[in-house]
Amino acid sequence: MSSHVMDVPAAAHEHHGLIIENQRLGFWMFLGSECVFFASLIGTYLALHGRDIGNLGPRQLFDIPYASILTFVLLSSSLTMGLGVAAMGRGEVRTMRRWLYATLGLGLVFLGMQVNEFSTYWRAGLHMNSSLFSASFYTLVGFHGLHVTFGVAWIIALIVYSYRAKGLDASQTVRFETAALYWHFVDVVWILIFSVVYLVGVLQ
Amino acid sequence: MADAHGAGTPSSPTEIIRSYVRVGVTLGLLTVLVLVLAYAGVPVGILIPIVIILAVIQIYLQADVWMHLNHGRRLYTIFFVSGAIVALEVFLAALVLMWTH
């Protein structure tokens, strides 16, 4: 009888662990599908980036030092996010929260700089419908910016949640892990955009 | 968190932090190297493949250390790499289609 009573929580624990594993697996599948999404946008951009109008092409517009700063900001935010998750692994919620704040700040700096970059191009006369180059550029980099915006909103939600949660068990830490994975993935996509869109665009 | 790490992953907190920072510094240095090469007057035909190779190294480092891709469950890697392979096919198909039309 007593062994039967002990089996119920054990089974529940196992079921709970399975749910967490499925959440992780589902998120990796989602990231795999995101690879396809961004590959199609980058492929389209590469095919169309030569179809600009006159003096409004990648060579005339792109500011490599500025794009490099964007890269360093996002790389730093990925590092702070990783350090936050490492702090979570040690059970140090306050330290984790500090790193999340740092990640949030860097994410907001990135977004602010990207809005500034877009507005500079817009003022120079590069609108969404100016050329095939502008349409593919704004779509690709804009969608990446939307992903960063979603990531920033997610981090804010996690910070709020960290104040409300009493301790972090496995079901709660998986929320932070998936957010960190998402943030690293967004950074990976930016490395591709920086290399393929900005550098190759200016060099060609 | 602990179950997300497997064999070959740093286990102590100090080691984990060191490996994260090491990768962060390496990624920063690789970005600087790309910029130096871009402004050093290296011929474009050589520079573009170098830029792509350095980007692939950066992505591998991120996925390996920060995303624990090679140290988590094998199934995660399979799903993610499958997506990446399909992505590469879509990427090449988009390029071929647009350049031939």
Side-chain angles (χ1 to χ4, degrees), chain A residues 5-154:
Chain A
V5 171
M6 289 299 286
D7 283 345
V8 174
H13 183 73
E14 193 177 318
H15 176 68
H16 195 58
L18 194 62
I19 290 172
I20 291 168
E21 281 303 299
N22 286 344
Q23 283 176 343
R24 285 199 185 110
L25 190 62
F27 200 76
W28 277 106
M29 287 171 76
F30 165 72
L31 291 183
S33 69
E34 286 279 278
C35 286
V36 181
F37 175 72
F38 277 106
S40 60
L41 290 182
I42 293 172
T44 307
Y45 170 82
L46 279 181
L48 299 175
H49 81 283
R51 301 192 190 181
D52 50 46
I53 44 164
N55 58 348
L56 291 176
R59 278 187 160 205
Q60 295 79 27
L61 290 169
F62 291 165
D63 183 354
I64 295 300
Y66 192 85
S68 308
I69 295 169
L70 281 171
T71 307
F72 283 114
V73 168
L74 211 54
L75 279 177
S76 307
S77 75
S78 235
L79 175 61
T80 54
M81 183 56 118
L83 292 172
V85 172
M88 180 191 71
R90 299 192 303 271
E92 297 171 4
V93 178
R94 278 190 178 184
T95 311
M96 178 197 75
R97 205 179 288 135
R98 269 187 228 128
W99 287 121
L100 284 180
Y101 273 120
T103 311
L104 175 64
L106 289 164
L108 288 172
V109 168
F110 178 88
L111 283 176
M113 286 181 72
Q114 201 159 59
V115 168
N116 180 49
E117 183 195 20
F118 274 27
S119 64
T120 306
Y121 296 158
W122 200 270
R123 282 196 302 273
L126 188 80
H127 301 149
M128 187 75 178
N129 57 356
S130 297
S131 62
L132 287 173
F133 154 69
S134 67
S136 58
F137 171 77
Y138 280 130
T139 306
L140 169 59
V141 183
F143 263 112
H144 178 267
L146 275 179
H147 277 71
V148 176
T149 308
F150 181 76
V152 162
W154 196 348

Side-chain angles (χ1 to χ4, degrees), chain B residues 13-100:
Chain B
T14 319
E15 274 179 57
I16 291 170
I17 291 170
R18 268 192 200 151
S19 72
Y20 280 14
V21 173
R22 206 180 298 133
V23 168
V25 171
T26 308
L27 291 171
L29 288 175
L30 286 174
T31 308
V32 171
L33 177 64
V34 168
L35 290 172
V36 169
L37 289 172
Y39 284 101
V42 178
V44 174
I46 300 170
L47 188 55
I48 289 178
I50 293 174
V51 166
I52 304 292
I53 289 167
L54 288 176
V56 170
I57 293 170
Q58 285 181 304
I59 289 166
Y60 176 79
L61 281 173
Q62 282 239 14
D64 184 40
V65 181
W66 284 352
M67 296 171 81
H68 310 296
L69 189 59
N70 288 337
H71 309 292
R73 281 184 61 192
R74 195 157 190 80
L75 203 55
Y76 302 159
T77 312
I78 290 169
F79 274 112
F80 184 69
V81 171
S82 304
I85 290 168
V86 176
L88 190 64
E89 289 167 1
V90 169
F91 176 71
L92 293 174
L95 282 182
V96 171
L97 274 175
M98 303 240 179
W99 270 329
T100 53

